[in-house]
Amino acid sequence: MISENRALLRRDCPGRALLDHITGKWGVLVLTSLADGPLRFHQLRARIDGVSDKMLTQTLRTFAGDGLVERTVLPTAPPSVSYALTDLGAEAAQELEPFLRWVRTTASRP
């Protein structure tokens, strides 16, 4: 085991909460979806097949609290909301890319 990762094994490690948020069922998919640029809620929901409004809302709120996603209210009538990755969120999405490449490659094996 890589010694730098040992801290994440401890229950009281502050990074563990962030790890849980990112690696939850919808976290990786939300980060990946927003990596191409800002999306409105309904666009994001349409892109992530199977996510409910409740789970998408919860994930976006959690990520906003973690500083990974920025929520912007657009001046339209009625008001609409756009979600975008912050610099930290973009960095996380970029770091996930090699893992996602591995998942795609592994899943396509016979």
XYZ file of all heavy atoms in Angstrom:
852
model
N 0.847 -1.182 0.000
C 0.000 0.000 0.000
C 0.890 1.242 0.000
O 1.891 1.308 0.679
C -0.885 -0.012 1.249
C -1.778 1.179 1.343
S -2.845 1.172 2.790
C -3.640 -0.387 2.595
N 0.504 2.212 -0.764
C 1.280 3.449 -0.833
C 1.108 4.193 0.488
O -0.005 4.436 0.948
C 0.812 4.309 -2.021
C 1.008 3.543 -3.325
C 1.543 5.629 -2.055
C 0.410 4.198 -4.529
N 2.225 4.561 1.098
C 2.180 5.142 2.445
C 1.405 6.452 2.510
O 0.800 6.757 3.529
C 3.598 5.337 2.978
O 4.309 6.225 2.148
N 1.372 7.240 1.427
C 0.622 8.496 1.449
C -0.884 8.262 1.597
O -1.613 9.137 2.038
C 0.866 9.309 0.165
C 2.272 9.801 0.003
C 3.147 8.806 -0.759
O 2.613 7.954 -1.484
O 4.364 8.880 -0.613
N -1.352 7.103 1.215
C -2.789 6.805 1.273
C -3.230 6.269 2.630
O -4.420 6.135 2.876
C -3.163 5.796 0.188
C -3.026 6.390 -1.189
O -3.116 7.597 -1.370
N -2.795 5.547 -2.165
N -2.310 5.987 3.511
C -2.672 5.402 4.803
C -3.585 6.310 5.618
O -4.446 5.830 6.331
C -1.428 5.062 5.606
C -0.713 3.880 5.044
C 0.485 3.524 5.860
N 1.261 2.581 5.083
C 1.689 1.439 5.550
N 1.480 1.122 6.792
N 2.370 0.634 4.788
N -3.405 7.614 5.498
C -4.247 8.541 6.259
C -5.720 8.373 5.886
O -6.599 8.490 6.739
C -3.806 9.981 6.032
N -6.004 8.090 4.614
C -7.386 7.920 4.169
C -8.058 6.702 4.805
O -9.285 6.612 4.833
C -7.454 7.792 2.647
C -7.176 9.062 1.867
C -7.070 8.754 0.379
C -8.248 10.104 2.120
N -7.267 5.790 5.330
C -7.831 4.605 5.972
C -8.356 4.904 7.368
O -9.145 4.135 7.915
C -6.777 3.496 6.028
C -6.235 3.036 4.675
C -5.130 2.017 4.875
C -7.340 2.498 3.804
N -7.922 6.036 7.924
C -8.368 6.397 9.267
C -9.735 7.076 9.199
O -9.995 7.915 8.344
C -7.358 7.346 9.918
C -6.044 6.656 10.219
C -5.067 7.467 11.054
N -5.599 8.700 11.590
C -5.079 9.906 11.353
N -4.026 10.028 10.575
N -5.604 10.969 11.911
N -10.604 6.709 10.096
C -11.959 7.239 10.149
C -11.994 8.753 10.303
O -12.873 9.410 9.779
C -12.699 6.592 11.318
C -14.144 6.940 11.400
C -14.805 6.322 12.594
N -14.281 4.982 12.822
C -14.968 3.973 13.316
N -16.195 4.150 13.683
N -14.425 2.798 13.494
N -11.026 9.334 11.006
C -11.037 10.767 11.284
C -10.284 11.596 10.240
O -10.114 12.802 10.400
C -10.464 11.049 12.675
C -9.005 10.619 12.812
O -8.531 9.852 11.960
O -8.361 11.049 13.784
N -9.880 10.983 9.149
C -9.155 11.714 8.096
C -10.113 12.659 7.375
O -11.162 12.236 6.882
C -8.554 10.734 7.100
S -7.742 11.559 5.718
N -9.794 13.971 7.300
C -10.685 14.918 6.635
C -10.874 14.629 5.144
O -11.922 14.928 4.584
C -10.003 16.273 6.821
C -8.793 16.049 7.633
C -8.615 14.593 7.866
N -9.894 14.019 4.524
C -10.014 13.689 3.111
C -11.005 12.576 2.830
O -11.480 12.417 1.709
N -11.329 11.824 3.854
C -12.225 10.691 3.663
C -13.639 11.122 3.285
O -14.284 10.483 2.458
C -12.248 9.842 4.927
C -12.777 8.475 4.688
C -12.163 7.501 5.639
N -13.034 6.359 5.780
C -12.869 5.424 6.679
N -11.875 5.506 7.528
N -13.676 4.413 6.722
N -14.112 12.223 3.843
C -15.445 12.724 3.487
C -15.475 13.136 2.019
O -16.417 12.806 1.285
C -15.832 13.889 4.385
N -14.446 13.835 1.574
C -14.372 14.237 0.171
C -14.293 13.015 -0.735
O -14.959 12.951 -1.771
C -13.176 15.164 -0.048
C -13.003 15.730 -1.452
C -14.220 16.550 -1.863
C -11.745 16.574 -1.511
N -13.525 12.042 -0.341
C -13.427 10.800 -1.100
C -14.797 10.134 -1.213
O -15.202 9.689 -2.291
C -12.423 9.850 -0.435
C -12.221 8.501 -1.123
C -11.598 8.675 -2.499
C -11.348 7.615 -0.251
N -15.517 10.080 -0.114
C -16.864 9.500 -0.125
C -17.791 10.261 -1.068
O -18.579 9.660 -1.798
C -17.470 9.492 1.279
C -16.829 8.480 2.195
O -16.133 7.571 1.700
O -17.016 8.599 3.424
N -17.711 11.585 -1.063
C -18.577 12.391 -1.928
C -18.271 12.139 -3.403
O -19.182 11.957 -4.211
C -18.415 13.879 -1.630
C -18.839 14.250 -0.251
N -18.478 15.449 0.313
C -19.557 13.605 0.697
C -18.976 15.523 1.530
N -19.627 14.406 1.787
N -17.002 12.141 -3.747
C -16.611 11.980 -5.149
C -16.913 10.579 -5.653
O -17.391 10.398 -6.772
C -15.122 12.318 -5.344
C -14.914 13.819 -5.140
C -14.633 11.894 -6.730
C -13.458 14.243 -5.105
N -16.656 9.574 -4.836
C -16.796 8.197 -5.289
C -18.167 7.600 -5.015
O -18.377 6.419 -5.265
C -15.712 7.290 -4.665
O -15.855 7.316 -3.241
C -14.328 7.733 -5.090
N -19.102 8.413 -4.541
C -20.471 7.929 -4.366
C -21.062 7.553 -5.711
O -20.483 7.810 -6.775
N -22.223 6.969 -5.705
C -22.837 6.453 -6.930
C -22.905 7.485 -8.047
O -22.659 7.177 -9.209
C -24.234 5.927 -6.623
C -24.905 5.302 -7.818
C -26.183 4.614 -7.446
C -26.797 3.936 -8.653
N -28.025 3.239 -8.338
N -23.222 8.730 -7.737
C -23.406 9.745 -8.767
C -22.262 10.746 -8.872
O -22.171 11.490 -9.843
C -24.725 10.483 -8.531
C -25.871 9.532 -8.496
C -26.616 9.175 -7.399
C -26.402 8.771 -9.583
N -27.558 8.248 -7.747
C -27.458 7.977 -9.082
C -26.076 8.675 -10.933
C -28.191 7.115 -9.886
C -26.813 7.807 -11.736
C -27.853 7.046 -11.209
N -21.370 10.784 -7.900
C -20.331 11.794 -7.851
C -19.423 11.822 -9.071
O -19.208 12.876 -9.680
N -18.868 10.686 -9.435
C -17.967 10.622 -10.580
C -18.701 11.031 -11.852
O -18.160 11.749 -12.697
C -17.361 9.207 -10.731
C -16.605 9.065 -12.031
C -16.458 8.882 -9.551
N -19.954 10.610 -11.982
C -20.718 10.918 -13.192
C -21.037 12.404 -13.292
O -21.018 12.975 -14.385
C -21.999 10.074 -13.226
C -21.772 8.562 -13.229
C -23.096 7.827 -13.182
C -20.943 8.133 -14.425
N -21.320 13.048 -12.176
C -21.576 14.488 -12.186
C -20.306 15.239 -12.559
O -20.328 16.129 -13.423
C -22.133 14.970 -10.824
C -22.129 16.490 -10.736
C -23.547 14.443 -10.615
N -19.184 14.901 -11.949
C -17.923 15.564 -12.272
C -17.563 15.380 -13.741
O -17.150 16.326 -14.418
C -16.791 15.034 -11.388
C -16.825 15.449 -9.926
C -15.738 14.727 -9.152
C -16.687 16.948 -9.773
N -17.727 14.175 -14.238
C -17.414 13.888 -15.632
C -18.326 14.663 -16.575
O -17.872 15.198 -17.586
C -17.554 12.375 -15.899
O -16.657 11.677 -15.038
C -17.239 12.026 -17.331
N -19.592 14.747 -16.241
C -20.547 15.457 -17.092
C -20.258 16.941 -17.160
O -20.422 17.570 -18.207
C -21.974 15.240 -16.583
O -22.321 13.883 -16.685
N -19.841 17.519 -16.059
C -19.565 18.954 -16.025
C -18.170 19.312 -16.547
O -17.863 20.490 -16.710
C -19.741 19.482 -14.602
C -21.185 19.524 -14.092
C -21.215 19.907 -12.623
C -22.023 20.484 -14.924
N -17.356 18.314 -16.827
C -15.987 18.575 -17.300
C -15.974 19.280 -18.659
O -15.033 19.996 -18.969
C -15.192 17.276 -17.372
N -17.023 19.103 -19.449
C -17.090 19.736 -20.771
C -17.594 21.171 -20.715
O -17.595 21.859 -21.724
C -17.991 18.926 -21.703
C -17.398 17.567 -22.040
O -16.168 17.434 -22.028
O -18.187 16.645 -22.303
N -18.069 21.599 -19.550
C -18.554 22.972 -19.413
C -19.838 23.029 -18.614
O -20.405 21.990 -18.254
N -20.299 24.235 -18.310
C -21.490 24.414 -17.482
C -22.736 23.802 -18.114
O -22.875 23.787 -19.343
C -21.640 25.932 -17.387
C -20.350 26.504 -17.827
C -19.722 25.503 -18.729
N -23.617 23.315 -17.259
C -24.891 22.758 -17.700
C -25.998 23.216 -16.761
O -25.761 23.420 -15.570
C -24.846 21.225 -17.698
C -23.914 20.545 -18.691
C -23.837 19.051 -18.403
C -24.400 20.777 -20.117
N -27.181 23.334 -17.310
C -28.348 23.580 -16.468
C -28.796 22.248 -15.887
O -28.403 21.180 -16.359
C -29.433 24.254 -17.290
C -29.013 25.676 -17.666
C -29.977 26.376 -18.549
N -31.318 26.375 -17.990
C -32.383 26.821 -18.644
N -32.257 27.306 -19.863
N -33.576 26.783 -18.093
N -29.618 22.325 -14.860
C -30.022 21.125 -14.124
C -30.616 20.071 -15.060
O -30.222 18.904 -15.027
C -31.025 21.485 -13.020
C -31.400 20.326 -12.148
C -30.649 20.012 -11.030
C -32.490 19.528 -12.453
C -30.984 18.940 -10.219
C -32.836 18.462 -11.652
C -32.078 18.158 -10.532
N -31.577 20.477 -15.888
C -32.242 19.494 -16.750
C -31.290 18.901 -17.781
O -31.426 17.742 -18.161
C -33.485 20.098 -17.424
C -33.189 21.063 -18.521
N -32.836 22.368 -18.302
C -33.174 20.888 -19.861
C -32.618 22.965 -19.451
N -32.812 22.095 -20.415
N -30.303 19.664 -18.228
C -29.304 19.139 -19.155
C -28.431 18.088 -18.474
O -28.118 17.047 -19.059
C -28.418 20.268 -19.690
C -29.136 21.270 -20.552
C -28.263 22.472 -20.854
O -27.619 23.022 -19.967
N -28.237 22.881 -22.119
N -28.067 18.378 -17.251
C -27.249 17.452 -16.483
C -28.014 16.167 -16.190
O -27.501 15.060 -16.355
C -26.805 18.136 -15.189
C -25.725 17.503 -14.353
C -24.487 17.168 -15.161
C -25.362 18.410 -13.197
N -29.274 16.321 -15.810
C -30.116 15.148 -15.528
C -30.284 14.293 -16.788
O -30.243 13.070 -16.720
C -31.475 15.584 -14.996
C -32.337 14.397 -14.564
C -33.728 14.808 -14.173
N -34.374 15.428 -15.314
C -35.126 16.524 -15.265
N -35.337 17.128 -14.122
N -35.672 17.015 -16.336
N -30.458 14.923 -17.941
C -30.612 14.175 -19.193
C -29.319 13.459 -19.582
O -29.353 12.376 -20.177
C -31.050 15.121 -20.312
N -28.199 14.039 -19.245
C -26.907 13.448 -19.599
C -26.596 12.219 -18.750
O -25.966 11.275 -19.220
C -25.808 14.498 -19.426
C -24.475 14.020 -19.934
C -23.463 15.109 -19.964
N -23.742 15.992 -21.095
C -22.925 16.948 -21.505
N -21.794 17.161 -20.877
N -23.230 17.693 -22.533
N -27.025 12.232 -17.486
C -26.715 11.123 -16.573
C -27.932 10.212 -16.489
O -28.848 10.438 -15.685
C -26.317 11.646 -15.173
C -25.149 12.614 -15.283
C -25.971 10.476 -14.255
C -24.814 13.322 -13.989
N -27.955 9.214 -17.291
C -29.085 8.291 -17.363
C -29.334 7.614 -16.019
O -28.407 7.065 -15.417
C -28.803 7.243 -18.433
C -30.010 6.419 -18.800
O -31.142 6.925 -18.661
O -29.822 5.273 -19.241
N -30.560 7.715 -15.536
C -30.955 7.019 -14.323
C -30.888 7.815 -13.037
O -31.385 7.359 -12.008
N -30.312 9.007 -13.045
C -30.227 9.794 -11.812
C -31.576 10.470 -11.557
O -32.219 10.975 -12.479
C -29.083 10.837 -11.863
C -29.350 11.946 -12.865
C -28.816 11.418 -10.481
N -32.017 10.434 -10.323
C -33.267 11.089 -9.962
C -33.001 12.564 -9.649
O -31.864 12.963 -9.365
C -33.893 10.414 -8.737
O -33.079 10.641 -7.590
N -34.057 13.361 -9.683
C -33.926 14.775 -9.323
C -33.353 14.911 -7.912
O -32.495 15.751 -7.663
C -35.285 15.485 -9.384
C -35.766 15.712 -10.805
O -35.012 15.427 -11.758
O -36.901 16.190 -10.961
N -33.855 14.078 -7.007
C -33.417 14.149 -5.615
C -31.921 13.878 -5.479
O -31.212 14.624 -4.800
C -34.210 13.140 -4.777
C -33.775 13.089 -3.328
C -34.530 12.013 -2.567
C -33.968 11.886 -1.161
N -34.610 10.815 -0.417
N -31.442 12.825 -6.115
C -30.028 12.465 -5.978
C -29.119 13.464 -6.691
O -28.031 13.777 -6.202
C -29.774 11.054 -6.499
C -30.392 9.973 -5.628
S -30.031 10.134 -3.857
C -28.265 10.086 -3.817
N -29.574 13.995 -7.825
C -28.776 14.988 -8.524
C -28.686 16.268 -7.697
O -27.609 16.838 -7.535
C -29.360 15.274 -9.908
C -28.582 16.265 -10.764
C -27.127 15.855 -10.927
C -29.261 16.414 -12.123
N -29.810 16.686 -7.144
C -29.821 17.873 -6.284
C -28.902 17.682 -5.089
O -28.100 18.557 -4.754
C -31.257 18.179 -5.803
O -32.068 18.457 -6.948
C -31.289 19.360 -4.863
N -28.994 16.540 -4.444
C -28.177 16.248 -3.273
C -26.690 16.245 -3.631
O -25.863 16.819 -2.911
C -28.579 14.895 -2.691
C -27.840 14.506 -1.440
C -28.344 13.172 -0.902
O -29.514 12.829 -1.041
N -27.454 12.421 -0.294
N -26.337 15.631 -4.745
C -24.936 15.570 -5.167
C -24.408 16.957 -5.490
O -23.297 17.323 -5.085
C -24.780 14.634 -6.383
O -25.269 13.332 -6.024
C -23.327 14.527 -6.824
N -25.202 17.762 -6.204
C -24.775 19.119 -6.553
C -24.604 19.984 -5.305
O -23.644 20.752 -5.207
C -25.768 19.755 -7.520
C -25.748 19.161 -8.931
C -26.974 19.625 -9.716
C -24.461 19.515 -9.652
N -25.511 19.862 -4.341
C -25.378 20.629 -3.097
C -24.130 20.215 -2.329
O -23.408 21.055 -1.789
C -26.614 20.435 -2.218
C -27.801 21.215 -2.674
C -28.966 21.038 -1.734
N -30.120 21.785 -2.222
C -31.357 21.500 -1.937
N -31.647 20.474 -1.142
N -32.346 22.228 -2.432
N -23.888 18.926 -2.267
C -22.701 18.425 -1.577
C -21.437 18.941 -2.249
O -20.517 19.423 -1.583
C -22.701 16.884 -1.554
O -23.856 16.435 -0.834
C -21.454 16.340 -0.885
N -21.393 18.859 -3.578
C -20.226 19.330 -4.318
C -20.042 20.833 -4.188
O -18.908 21.311 -4.146
C -20.310 18.926 -5.779
C -19.901 17.497 -6.047
C -20.021 16.971 -7.318
C -19.395 16.683 -5.054
C -19.640 15.670 -7.591
C -19.012 15.381 -5.299
C -19.135 14.873 -6.583
N -21.137 21.579 -4.133
C -21.020 23.027 -3.925
C -20.409 23.295 -2.548
O -19.535 24.154 -2.400
C -22.382 23.697 -4.057
N -20.831 22.545 -1.549
C -20.272 22.678 -0.206
C -18.805 22.283 -0.132
O -18.039 22.845 0.648
N -18.412 21.331 -0.969
C -17.013 20.884 -1.016
C -16.135 21.820 -1.847
O -14.918 21.653 -1.885
C -16.923 19.479 -1.635
C -17.501 18.397 -0.753
O -17.597 18.599 0.475
O -17.862 17.330 -1.300
N -16.760 22.747 -2.545
C -16.004 23.655 -3.402
C -15.661 23.079 -4.763
O -14.788 23.589 -5.455
N -16.367 22.034 -5.180
C -16.109 21.401 -6.472
C -16.992 21.950 -7.582
O -16.619 21.909 -8.757
C -16.320 19.883 -6.377
C -15.434 19.135 -5.385
C -15.886 17.694 -5.246
C -13.985 19.206 -5.821
N -18.182 22.430 -7.217
C -19.160 22.913 -8.188
C -19.632 24.294 -7.780
O -19.823 24.573 -6.589
C -20.368 21.939 -8.270
C -21.519 22.526 -9.071
C -19.947 20.615 -8.881
N -19.837 25.137 -8.785
C -20.378 26.477 -8.557
C -21.775 26.550 -9.156
O -21.996 26.137 -10.293
C -19.473 27.513 -9.220
C -19.935 28.934 -9.030
C -18.964 29.917 -9.645
O -18.683 29.789 -10.852
O -18.495 30.791 -8.907
N -22.700 27.058 -8.374
C -24.090 27.218 -8.793
C -24.309 28.679 -9.138
O -24.053 29.564 -8.331
C -25.007 26.805 -7.641
C -26.463 26.918 -7.907
C -27.233 26.500 -6.644
N -28.646 26.432 -6.867
C -29.494 27.435 -6.687
N -29.040 28.611 -6.261
N -30.786 27.288 -6.912
N -24.797 28.942 -10.362
C -25.022 30.305 -10.810
C -26.477 30.466 -11.224
O -26.968 29.710 -12.074
C -24.114 30.649 -12.014
O -22.756 30.437 -11.633
C -24.301 32.084 -12.456
N -27.160 31.432 -10.620
C -28.540 31.739 -10.998
C -28.484 32.697 -12.181
O -27.889 33.763 -12.106
C -29.326 32.351 -9.825
C -30.743 32.698 -10.257
C -29.340 31.397 -8.640
N -29.093 32.283 -13.275
C -29.081 33.081 -14.492
C -30.258 34.056 -14.497
O -31.363 33.688 -14.096
C -29.139 32.163 -15.712
C -28.031 31.112 -15.781
C -28.308 30.117 -16.891
C -26.690 31.786 -15.998
N -30.045 35.285 -14.970
C -31.103 36.304 -14.951
C -32.099 36.113 -16.097
O -32.124 36.857 -17.069
C -30.325 37.613 -15.092
C -29.110 37.228 -15.872
C -28.780 35.824 -15.459
N -32.898 35.075 -15.978
C -33.935 34.801 -16.970
C -35.280 34.809 -16.275
O -35.354 34.820 -15.055
C -33.700 33.437 -17.642
O -33.710 32.415 -16.626
C -32.395 33.377 -18.392
N -36.344 34.805 -17.062
C -37.681 34.741 -16.483
C -38.345 33.475 -17.001
O -38.598 33.375 -18.194
C -38.485 35.969 -16.870
N -38.634 32.515 -16.173
C -38.266 32.409 -14.760
C -36.760 32.162 -14.624
O -36.112 31.731 -15.576
C -39.071 31.207 -14.266
C -39.252 30.354 -15.482
C -39.341 31.317 -16.649
N -36.220 32.421 -13.439
C -34.782 32.228 -13.232
C -34.378 30.775 -13.489
O -35.128 29.851 -13.204
C -34.568 32.576 -11.766
C -35.749 33.370 -11.375
C -36.880 32.916 -12.246
N -33.214 30.595 -14.070
C -32.677 29.251 -14.261
C -31.304 29.199 -13.605
O -30.701 30.226 -13.311
C -32.596 28.905 -15.750
O -31.790 29.824 -16.433
N -30.856 27.984 -13.379
C -29.604 27.776 -12.659
C -28.640 26.979 -13.529
O -29.029 26.033 -14.203
C -29.865 27.033 -11.327
C -28.574 26.769 -10.583
C -30.828 27.823 -10.457
N -27.393 27.392 -13.495
C -26.339 26.706 -14.225
C -25.324 26.176 -13.215
O -25.061 26.813 -12.195
C -25.663 27.692 -15.185
O -24.573 27.089 -15.829
N -24.762 25.019 -13.507
C -23.758 24.402 -12.651
C -22.467 24.246 -13.441
O -22.483 23.834 -14.606
C -24.231 23.036 -12.155
C -25.447 23.140 -11.287
C -26.723 23.062 -11.826
C -25.323 23.351 -9.918
C -27.846 23.183 -11.026
C -26.446 23.478 -9.113
C -27.702 23.393 -9.678
O -28.805 23.527 -8.883
N -21.354 24.583 -12.817
C -20.048 24.477 -13.459
C -19.022 23.999 -12.439
O -19.177 24.232 -11.233
C -19.630 25.835 -14.023
N -17.994 23.359 -12.931
C -16.903 22.947 -12.056
C -16.082 24.166 -11.661
O -15.836 25.051 -12.482
C -15.993 21.943 -12.758
C -16.588 20.586 -13.106
C -15.557 19.735 -13.830
C -17.089 19.876 -11.862
N -15.665 24.206 -10.422
C -14.685 25.188 -9.985
C -13.314 24.695 -10.440
O -13.201 23.598 -11.014
C -14.688 25.314 -8.452
O -14.319 24.032 -7.902
C -16.054 25.737 -7.913
N -12.280 25.454 -10.180
C -10.931 24.980 -10.514
C -10.626 23.672 -9.800
O -10.036 22.756 -10.376
C -9.887 26.032 -10.144
C -9.933 27.250 -11.066
O -10.535 27.163 -12.158
O -9.365 28.291 -10.688
N -11.053 23.581 -8.538
C -10.844 22.353 -7.767
C -11.615 21.188 -8.378
O -11.102 20.064 -8.490
C -11.249 22.576 -6.311
C -10.991 21.442 -5.338
C -9.497 21.172 -5.215
C -11.578 21.782 -3.974
N -12.856 21.436 -8.788
C -13.664 20.399 -9.421
C -13.083 19.954 -10.749
O -13.082 18.761 -11.074
N -12.573 20.910 -11.534
C -11.942 20.566 -12.813
C -10.693 19.717 -12.582
O -10.419 18.779 -13.334
C -11.600 21.839 -13.582
N -9.955 20.046 -11.535
C -8.773 19.252 -11.196
C -9.174 17.828 -10.816
O -8.545 16.853 -11.248
C -8.024 19.914 -10.046
C -6.740 19.237 -9.671
C -6.033 19.922 -8.512
O -6.404 21.041 -8.130
O -5.094 19.303 -7.980
N -10.241 17.691 -10.038
C -10.719 16.357 -9.648
C -11.160 15.568 -10.878
O -10.817 14.387 -11.011
C -11.869 16.488 -8.647
N -11.905 16.211 -11.780
C -12.366 15.530 -12.996
C -11.181 15.085 -13.844
O -11.182 13.979 -14.398
C -13.285 16.453 -13.792
N -10.167 15.913 -13.928
C -8.974 15.572 -14.705
C -8.244 14.384 -14.072
O -7.774 13.495 -14.776
C -8.045 16.774 -14.795
C -6.832 16.537 -15.644
C -5.967 17.786 -15.761
O -6.241 18.811 -15.153
N -4.914 17.687 -16.533
N -8.163 14.364 -12.756
C -7.493 13.254 -12.063
C -8.274 11.949 -12.206
O -7.688 10.864 -12.156
C -7.295 13.592 -10.581
C -6.315 14.723 -10.335
C -4.887 14.375 -10.738
O -4.504 13.193 -10.647
O -4.157 15.295 -11.144
N -9.596 12.043 -12.379
C -10.421 10.846 -12.536
C -10.306 10.226 -13.926
O -10.624 9.054 -14.107
C -11.894 11.180 -12.267
C -12.282 11.380 -10.818
C -13.680 11.964 -10.726
C -12.200 10.064 -10.060
N -9.880 11.003 -14.898
C -9.858 10.530 -16.292
C -9.076 9.234 -16.495
O -9.585 8.318 -17.158
C -9.363 11.627 -17.227
C -9.475 11.251 -18.683
C -10.841 10.744 -19.112
O -11.872 11.293 -18.664
O -10.892 9.768 -19.891
N -7.869 9.059 -15.952
C -7.182 7.769 -16.139
C -7.973 6.590 -15.551
O -8.018 5.511 -16.143
C -5.850 7.950 -15.405
C -5.638 9.417 -15.353
C -7.010 10.024 -15.266
N -8.600 6.813 -14.421
C -9.420 5.752 -13.817
C -10.608 5.419 -14.716
O -10.908 4.242 -14.952
C -9.893 6.181 -12.425
C -10.886 5.236 -11.815
C -10.500 3.970 -11.411
C -12.208 5.610 -11.658
C -11.421 3.086 -10.862
C -13.135 4.745 -11.105
C -12.739 3.486 -10.713
N -11.279 6.438 -15.244
C -12.427 6.211 -16.116
C -12.015 5.516 -17.414
O -12.753 4.679 -17.934
C -13.144 7.528 -16.406
C -13.777 8.184 -15.185
C -14.337 9.553 -15.533
C -14.845 7.297 -14.583
N -10.834 5.856 -17.925
C -10.306 5.173 -19.108
C -10.123 3.686 -18.795
O -10.482 2.817 -19.595
C -8.982 5.802 -19.526
C -8.479 5.348 -20.869
C -7.215 6.073 -21.334
N -7.240 7.507 -21.075
C -6.462 8.139 -20.180
N -5.577 7.480 -19.471
N -6.549 9.441 -20.012
N -9.587 3.398 -17.613
C -9.406 2.002 -17.198
C -10.760 1.292 -17.095
O -10.900 0.153 -17.543
C -8.675 1.953 -15.855
C -8.542 0.557 -15.326
C -7.589 -0.355 -15.645
C -9.418 -0.078 -14.398
N -7.816 -1.529 -14.969
C -8.938 -1.387 -14.193
C -10.568 0.322 -13.723
C -9.570 -2.290 -13.354
C -11.200 -0.577 -12.881
C -10.692 -1.872 -12.703
N -11.761 1.975 -16.530
C -13.103 1.380 -16.406
C -13.669 1.060 -17.785
O -14.186 -0.041 -18.019
C -14.050 2.313 -15.622
C -15.487 1.843 -15.723
C -13.614 2.418 -14.166
N -13.588 2.008 -18.722
C -14.117 1.781 -20.076
C -13.413 0.607 -20.756
O -14.051 -0.242 -21.359
C -13.977 3.046 -20.920
C -14.923 4.151 -20.536
C -14.878 5.306 -21.543
N -13.555 5.903 -21.668
C -13.104 6.931 -20.940
N -13.872 7.462 -20.014
N -11.902 7.416 -21.148
N -12.101 0.551 -20.625
C -11.322 -0.516 -21.244
C -11.641 -1.859 -20.608
O -11.864 -2.853 -21.314
C -9.808 -0.231 -21.107
O -9.540 1.022 -21.726
C -8.977 -1.314 -21.739
N -11.692 -1.902 -19.304
C -11.954 -3.150 -18.590
C -13.368 -3.652 -18.850
O -13.589 -4.852 -19.039
C -11.722 -2.963 -17.091
O -10.384 -2.507 -16.889
C -11.937 -4.236 -16.310
N -14.331 -2.743 -18.882
C -15.726 -3.143 -19.089
C -15.969 -3.694 -20.501
O -16.884 -4.477 -20.697
C -16.649 -1.954 -18.836
N -15.142 -3.300 -21.451
C -15.336 -3.756 -22.826
C -14.628 -5.079 -23.120
O -14.749 -5.616 -24.208
C -14.870 -2.685 -23.821
O -13.480 -2.491 -23.708
N -13.888 -5.591 -22.147
C -13.203 -6.869 -22.345
C -14.217 -8.004 -22.312
O -15.168 -7.982 -21.556
C -12.171 -7.105 -21.246
C -10.982 -6.192 -21.351
C -10.002 -6.511 -20.260
N -8.916 -5.544 -20.272
C -8.049 -5.388 -19.298
N -8.122 -6.153 -18.214
N -7.095 -4.499 -19.377
N -13.960 -9.038 -23.136
C -14.873 -10.195 -23.131
C -14.769 -11.016 -21.864
O -13.883 -10.983 -21.114
C -14.449 -11.010 -24.336
C -13.135 -10.478 -24.787
C -12.924 -9.146 -24.129
